[in-house]
Amino acid sequence: MSAEKILACPIISINARVWRFWSFFLKHDYMRYISIIPVTAMTVLMFTDLYRAWGNIGEVIINGYFAVLYFNAVLRVLIIVRYHEEYESFLEKISDIYEEINSMPDERIKEMVQLFTKRARMMSISNLALGAFISACFVVYPLFTGERRLPYGMHIPGVNKFESPLYEILYVMQAVLTFPGCCMYIPFTSFFASTSLFGLIQIKSLQHRLENFKRHGSGKSNKEQRSQLEAIISDHQRVIAYVGELNGLVTYICLVEFLSFGMMLCALLFLLVIIDHYAQLVIVVSYIFMIISQIFAFYWHANEVREESMAIGEAAYSGAWIDMDQASKKKLLLVILRSQVPLEISVGNVYPMTLEMFQSLLNASYSYFTLLKRVYG
């Protein structure tokens, strides 16, 4: 495994470096335990506090939001650590394919690679910045409530967590653990977005080569044209395998996000109705913005891969198939037929991740919110 190759690939390097720093993959030392064990212990105590606070709907919703958020963060990292070889192999393939596509003599493809790479890097950086800002809000919010509160609800049986110096110790501990918790959660979203964008690079480069096949193939013999077409078909098969492998790595985490997103969005919308402090309103709105932006990143990029994969057939049809020999026409026809089956990233290998699915999820969350509001009112 070439760690240097993965870390040098610009489209995935930011997230890979964060994971490597915490020793989630590419290296395996004590750093992973510094983050995973304390954050996991804190998450368990957060769920314990939910049991203690049951009946106080406002406290349960806020504490439940944090408990689910950190549970997702821990789950993401445990999956990465458990299947680190698969992730490392997948990212190494990306670095190889990226170098191959970027070295193509076609300037249009090079420009496209640079554009999507810049987009992926900006998204990774902005996600980390957003995560850092929201995490800072988590930490400083209790200071403005006028009472002793911890950033995240925790219940330690038989212990008064608000007595000094225990309160100060727990506060500092939670503030410190917020940083690794952010690094456990955010980079996976950026990983999904970056790898989806790289899938789009492969798909759009195929479209461009198919559309310009006649221009590039003019003056060549039928044998040379068939060889060029076979290379395009081989790359089509490679991107099909790529999306399938990506789906295998993320589908069950997407299922957890799907199940938790609707519940938490519904609860936070309801919390907006019952809170009576401006500071609480601001922080809850920031919570809602964070979970919507994170889940939208999943569905937007998955939808783009799906739609662009189906456009491969249109690109093939607009190419030079009229002047091809019968054998090449049949091969091109197979490409068109295969493109009618979209390349999909799914939720638990059940439902495809599309913008229509995202809209349905928002509608369902709002419907449950109105029902909960009516019952509570």
Side-chain angles (χ1 to χ4, degrees):
M1 184 64 60
S2 176
E4 292 77 13
K5 183 188 297 185
I6 294 174
L7 297 176
C9 183
I11 199 167
I12 56 175
S13 61
I14 294 176
N15 307 306
R17 290 180 184 277
V18 173
W19 282 347
R20 184 179 182 274
F21 173 82
W22 291 105
S23 188
F24 298 149
F25 82 158
L26 294 180
K27 71 172 184 176
H28 314 285
D29 56 26
Y30 67 92
M31 280 297 294
R32 69 170 55 165
Y33 304 109
I34 291 178
S35 60
I36 294 177
I37 293 177
V39 173
T40 302
M42 184 175 71
T43 304
V44 172
L45 294 176
M46 290 163 68
F47 277 101
T48 304
D49 193 59
L50 285 179
Y51 178 79
R52 177 204 59 80
W54 197 258
N56 185 337
I57 189 167
E59 187 176 359
V60 167
I61 289 175
I62 286 293
N63 293 349
Y65 169 79
F66 287 124
V68 171
L69 185 68
Y70 273 86
F71 172 79
N72 286 342
V74 171
L75 178 64
R76 291 178 177 197
V77 167
L78 291 179
I79 289 177
I80 293 171
V81 172
R82 171 63 179 83
Y83 298 102
H84 67 90
E85 293 181 354
E86 287 83 350
Y87 278 88
E88 291 168 4
S89 175
F90 181 67
L91 293 181
E92 187 173 25
K93 290 177 184 176
I94 289 178
S95 61
D96 290 335
I97 300 172
Y98 182 91
E99 184 177 352
E100 176 186 329
I101 294 178
N102 199 39
S103 62
M104 288 181 177
D106 193 308
E107 291 299 323
R108 177 69 184 89
I109 292 179
K110 287 185 176 181
E111 291 175 1
M112 181 179 59
V113 170
Q114 297 304 316
L115 176 64
F116 278 88
T117 299
K118 183 179 180 180
R119 179 175 163 185
R121 292 180 64 85
M122 287 297 296
M123 183 167 296
S124 297
I125 294 171
S126 61
N127 280 343
L128 286 172
L130 175 63
F133 172 75
I134 298 296
S135 297
C137 293
F138 294 165
V139 173
V140 303
Y141 167 70
L143 300 177
F144 297 94
T145 60
E147 57 186 23
R148 286 200 166 192
R149 295 184 60 177
L150 292 171
Y152 319 115
M154 288 176 54
H155 178 61
I156 306 174
V159 175
N160 185 354
K161 58 189 177 185
F162 297 113
E163 286 186 351
S164 297
L166 181 60
Y167 169 75
E168 288 77 9
I169 294 173
L170 291 176
Y171 197 107
V172 172
M173 181 197 72
Q174 289 191 352
V176 171
L177 290 180
T178 298
F179 176 68
C182 177
C183 293
M184 293 166 69
Y185 185 87
I186 297 297
F188 192 93
T189 302
S190 300
F191 161 80
F192 182 94
S194 299
T195 51
S196 298
L197 285 172
F198 185 64
L200 287 175
I201 289 176
Q202 298 178 70
I203 292 170
K204 285 185 171 293
S205 67
L206 277 175
Q207 294 173 1
H208 177 74
R209 290 160 65 191
L210 285 167
E211 290 171 351
N212 293 273
F213 182 75
K214 181 175 182 179
R215 178 169 59 85
H216 294 318
S218 61
K220 295 183 178 180
S221 65
N222 287 337
K223 183 177 180 180
E224 290 175 317
Q225 290 187 354
R226 282 197 299 270
S227 176
Q228 185 179 357
L229 180 59
E230 287 171 0
I232 294 175
I233 294 173
S234 177
D235 288 345
H236 187 207
Q237 294 297 319
R238 183 173 66 185
V239 73
I240 293 172
Y242 172 87
V243 175
E245 190 172 355
L246 173 60
N247 180 68
L249 292 174
V250 304
T251 184
Y252 292 111
I253 293 182
C254 292
L255 176 61
V256 174
E257 293 285 343
F258 174 81
L259 295 175
S260 61
F261 170 79
M263 175 184 66
M264 292 313 305
L265 180 59
C266 171
L268 289 173
L269 288 174
F270 178 72
L271 193 61
L272 287 177
V273 178
I274 64 175
I275 58 178
D276 53 5
H277 295 291
Y278 180 76
Q280 288 179 324
L281 176 65
V282 172
I283 200 70
V284 171
V285 169
S286 68
Y287 297 162
I288 293 174
F289 175 75
M290 179 178 179
I291 62 173
I292 290 180
S293 63
Q294 292 295 307
I295 201 73
F296 180 73
F298 278 79
Y299 282 82
W300 171 269
H301 291 96
N303 186 79
E304 285 290 290
V305 169
R306 186 180 191 275
E307 295 300 319
E308 291 297 334
S309 70
M310 297 181 68
I312 291 176
E314 298 178 12
Y317 183 76
S318 65
W321 60 271
I322 295 179
D323 299 327
M324 292 180 183
D325 58 82
Q326 290 300 319
S328 296
K329 288 180 180 179
K330 290 179 180 179
K331 291 178 181 178
L332 197 61
L333 180 60
L334 290 176
V335 172
I336 296 174
L337 291 174
R338 178 59 183 84
S339 67
Q340 304 311 302
V341 180
L343 304 182
E344 294 178 336
I345 302 171
S346 60
V347 176
N349 287 324
V350 178
Y351 298 107
M353 297 180 66
T354 62
L355 291 181
E356 290 79 8
M357 184 69 174
F358 178 72
Q359 182 180 2
S360 299
L361 187 56
L362 291 178
N363 291 338
S365 299
Y366 185 76
S367 298
Y368 285 121
F369 155 68
T370 56
L371 177 63
L372 182 62
K373 178 183 176 183
R374 184 176 303 173
V375 171
Y376 183 81

